[in-house]
C-alpha cells in the first residue's frame, strides 16, 4: 500500500526474541546466552528488574501476568507470558471468521506530542501498520507493499484516494490500543478499508476511520481497473460493515484553496529520503505534518485535532518542492458550536498542481476528552 508502516509499534511474529515493556530483552532459544542467567539472577535480587506491568516506569492499562509453567504462547528459559496478557495480542490475529484483523499497540514515547498524547500521525501509522499486517497474515500477500500475489504478478500497487478519521479521545504514553480493520468493495474498481481503535483496558472506541483505495500500475503510474484475478483474492475477505455511519461520514466537497483564498501559506517544504515509502513516493502520513506547518501555533497549542479528511490528487516524489495552504472555514454542515474548522491544500510549488486537499476540525483542549 502507498503508505509507510509505523516504526516499531508492534511485536512481529517473525521476531526471534521477545521485547517486553520496561526495556527487557529476552533472547530466544536460538540465541540463548549467559544474558538469560544474568536476568534471572537480577530478578531474584531485584524484583523490579522483571516488572512487566510497567512501560517506562508507568503502569500499563490491562497489565500482563507472567507465570512460571506451561500454557503460554512464549517460553523463554522458564519465563512464560500468559495467553491472557495484552502483550500476547500485539502480534495480531483474525477474529469473526477471519473477516476482521485485530492487533494491539503500546503508545511509545516517540509517538506522542508536546501534551504527552498520541499524535494524528501516530494514529495514521498504526492504522497503516494494521492494514499491512492484515494483508500479510491473510495468505494472499505478494512481494509488494500490501499488494496481493495477483497484483504483484501484474506490477500493480494500492494507492489511497480518500481517508477520513474521527478521534473521540487521544491515548497517552504507555497506553495500549486495540485496532480492528476490515475491507469491502468500493464501487466497481475500488476497495474500502475501515478501522476502529479501542482503549485496550476499557474497550471504549476512541477512533473511527474509513478509506478508499484504487489500483495503480507501479511502472506507468496510471490507475488500473481491478483484474478479475485480484478481485477473486479479495472477495472472500469482504465484510459489509462500516466504521463510520453514512450520516456521520465527511463526504462534503473540499474547496480548492488559492493564493487569494488562503490565509496562511508555508512554502519550501521538501520531501526527505526518509519520507519516501516502498512504492517510491511520499508516504501518506507525511502530508499531515505538512498540513500542520500552515496552521497557526495558537490552534496547535489550544485545540485538539478531532477530525481529519484527506483527498489525494496526485503523487509527490522526492524531487518535488511543495507548499502548504490553510484557511478557516465554516462551510461544513455538521459543525458544532465549539469546533474550529480549516480547509487545507498541499500543492507543488513549481506549477501549483494539487497533491492533497484536506479538511480538519479542532476542539478546545479544555473540552476535548482525554483518556
Amino acid at each position: 500500500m502507498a503508505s509507510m508502516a509505523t516504526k516499531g509499534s508492534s511485536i512481529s511474529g517473525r521476531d526471534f526474541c521477545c521485547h517486553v515493556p520496561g526495556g527487557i530483552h529476552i533472547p530466544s532459544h536460538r540465541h540463548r546466552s549467559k544474558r538469560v542467567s544474568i536476568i534471572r539472577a537480577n530478578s531474584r535480587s531485584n524484583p523490579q528488574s522483571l516488572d512487566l506491568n510497567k512501560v517506562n516506569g508507568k503502569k500499563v492499562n490491562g497489565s500482563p501476568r507472567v507465570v512460571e509453567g506451561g500454557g503460554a504462547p512464549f517460553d523463554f528459559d522458564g519465563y512464560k507470558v500468559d495467553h491472557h496478557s495484552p502483550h500476547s495480542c500485539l502480534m495480531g490475529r483474525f477474529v469473526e471468521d477471519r473477516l476482521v484483523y485485530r492487533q494491539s499497540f503500546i503508545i511509545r514515547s516517540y509517538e506522542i506530542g508536546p501534551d504527552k498524547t498520541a499524535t494524528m500521525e501516530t494514529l495514521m501509522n498504526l492504522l497503516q501498520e494494521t492494514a499491512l499486517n492484515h494483508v500479510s497474515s491473510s495468505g494472499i500477500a505478494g512481494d509488494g507493499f500490501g499488494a496481493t500475489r495477483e497484483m504483484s504478478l501484474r506490477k500493480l500497487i494500492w494507492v489511497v484516494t480518500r481517508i477520513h478519521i474521527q478521534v473521540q479521545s487521544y491515548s497517552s504514553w504507555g497506553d495500549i490500543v486495540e485496532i480492528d480493520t476490515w475491507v469491502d468493495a468500493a464501487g466497481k474498481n475500488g476497495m474500502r478499508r475501515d478501522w476502529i481503535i479501542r482503549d485496550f483496558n476499557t474497550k471504549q472506541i476512541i477512533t473511527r476511520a474509513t478509506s478508499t483505495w484504487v489500483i495503480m500500475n507501479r511502472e506507468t503510474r496510471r490507475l488500473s481497473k481491478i483484474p478479475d484475478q485480484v478481485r477473486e483474492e479479495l472477495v472472500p475477505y469482504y465484510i459489509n460493515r462500516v466504521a463510520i455511519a453514512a450520516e456521520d461520514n465527511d463526504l462534503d466537497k473540499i474547496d480548492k484553496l488559492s493564493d487569494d483564498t488562503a490565509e496562511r501559506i508555508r512554502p519550501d517544504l521538501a520531501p526527505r529520503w526518509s519520507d519516501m515509502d516502498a512504492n517510491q513516493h511520499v508516504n501518506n502520513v507525511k502530508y499531515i505534518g505538512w498540513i500542520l506547518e500552515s496552521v497557526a501555533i495558537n490552534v496547535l497549542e489550544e485545540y485538539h485535532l478531532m477530525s481529519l479528511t484527506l483527498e489525494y490528487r496526485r503523487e509527490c516524489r522526492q524531487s518535488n518542492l511543495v507548499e502548504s495552504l490553510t484557511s478557516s472555514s465554516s462551510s461544513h454542515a455538521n459543525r458544532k458550536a465549539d469546533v474550529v474548522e480549516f480547509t487545507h491544500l498541499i500543492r507543488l510549488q513549481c506549477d501549483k498542481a494539487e497533491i492533497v486537499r484536506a479538511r480538519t476540525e479542532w476542539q478546545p483542549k479544555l473540552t476535548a476528552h482525554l483518556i
Side-chain angles (χ1 to χ4, degrees), residues 70-84:
F74 303 114
D75 183 354
F76 299 100
D77 279 359
Y79 291 109
K80 293 183 178 290
V81 181
D82 192 348
H83 281 289
H84 301 290

Side-chain angles (χ1 to χ4, degrees), residues 127-233:
L127 298 181
Q128 186 63 52
E129 177 73 3
T130 309
L132 290 169
N133 290 340
H134 181 196
V135 177
S136 62
S137 300
S138 66
I140 63 173
D143 59 3
F145 198 51
T148 68
R149 292 194 190 96
E150 294 293 338
M151 289 175 63
S152 296
L153 290 174
R154 291 163 176 78
K155 301 178 181 180
L156 301 175
I157 60 175
W158 288 111
V159 291
V160 62
T161 60
R162 186 181 179 95
I163 293 181
H164 176 53
I165 303 177
Q166 297 177 355
V167 181
Q168 299 298 319
S169 58
Y170 283 93
S171 302
S172 301
W173 176 25
D175 287 342
I176 300 178
V177 295
E178 178 182 82
I179 304 179
D180 284 3
T181 187
W182 61 90
V183 293
D184 196 7
K188 293 183 179 179
N189 287 295
M191 184 182 75
R192 175 174 54 81
R193 177 175 288 279
D194 285 10
W195 299 265
I196 57 173
I197 303 180
R198 303 183 190 88
D199 176 78
F200 187 91
N201 190 37
T202 66
K203 301 304 179 184
Q204 176 187 1
I205 295 178
I206 57 178
T207 299
R208 299 175 183 270
T210 185
S211 60
T212 305
W213 300 77
V214 294
I215 285 180
M216 183 176 74
N217 186 291
R218 69 167 178 255
E219 292 187 349
T220 66
R221 315 308 283 188
R222 293 186 177 183
L223 298 183
S224 168
K225 294 182 178 180
I226 298 181
D228 292 337
Q229 297 86 343
V230 174
R231 197 182 310 274
E232 291 175 2
E233 292 178 308

Side-chain angles (χ1 to χ4, degrees), residues 39-174:
I39 291 174
R40 282 177 161 171
N42 288 341
S43 66
R44 287 191 293 267
S45 60
N46 179 15
Q48 296 299 320
S49 65
L50 197 58
D51 187 357
L52 301 189
N53 295 332
K54 295 183 178 181
V55 175
N56 296 314
K58 176 182 177 181
K59 187 174 179 62
V60 178
N61 289 343
S63 297
R65 295 172 291 167
V66 178
V67 298
E68 300 276 355
F74 303 114
D75 183 354
F76 299 100
D77 279 359
Y79 291 109
K80 293 183 178 290
V81 181
D82 192 348
H83 281 289
H84 301 290
S85 162
H87 303 289
S88 67
C89 65
L90 295 180
M91 298 175 64
R93 66 192 188 281
F94 282 96
V95 296
E96 300 189 38
D97 296 325
R98 294 183 61 84
L99 295 175
V100 176
Y101 185 78
R102 178 172 296 167
Q103 188 165 7
S104 297
F105 300 86
I106 300 173
I107 303 301
R108 310 292 186 178
S109 60
Y110 50 81
E111 295 173 324
I112 62 174
D115 58 0
K116 299 181 181 179
T117 61
T119 64
M120 182 63 79
E121 292 97 318
T122 293
L123 297 184
M124 283 278 285
N125 275 321
L126 296 183
L127 298 181
Q128 186 63 52
E129 177 73 3
T130 309
L132 290 169
N133 290 340
H134 181 196
V135 177
S136 62
S137 300
S138 66
I140 63 173
D143 59 3
F145 198 51
T148 68
R149 292 194 190 96
E150 294 293 338
M151 289 175 63
S152 296
L153 290 174
R154 291 163 176 78
K155 301 178 181 180
L156 301 175
I157 60 175
W158 288 111
V159 291
V160 62
T161 60
R162 186 181 179 95
I163 293 181
H164 176 53
I165 303 177
Q166 297 177 355
V167 181
Q168 299 298 319
S169 58
Y170 283 93
S171 302
S172 301
W173 176 25

Side-chain angles (χ1 to χ4, degrees), residues 230-270:
V230 174
R231 197 182 310 274
E232 291 175 2
E233 292 178 308
L234 299 174
V235 168
Y237 294 92
Y238 284 171
I239 177 173
N240 184 18
R241 177 186 300 178
V242 295
I244 302 175
E247 60 270 21
D248 298 324
N249 200 356
D250 181 7
L251 300 176
D252 294 346
K253 178 183 176 182
I254 301 178
D255 295 330
K256 179 181 178 180
L257 293 181
S258 65
D259 290 339
D260 295 329
T261 58
E263 297 172 356
R264 299 173 63 90
I265 300 178
R266 171 68 162 86
D268 302 322
L269 298 172

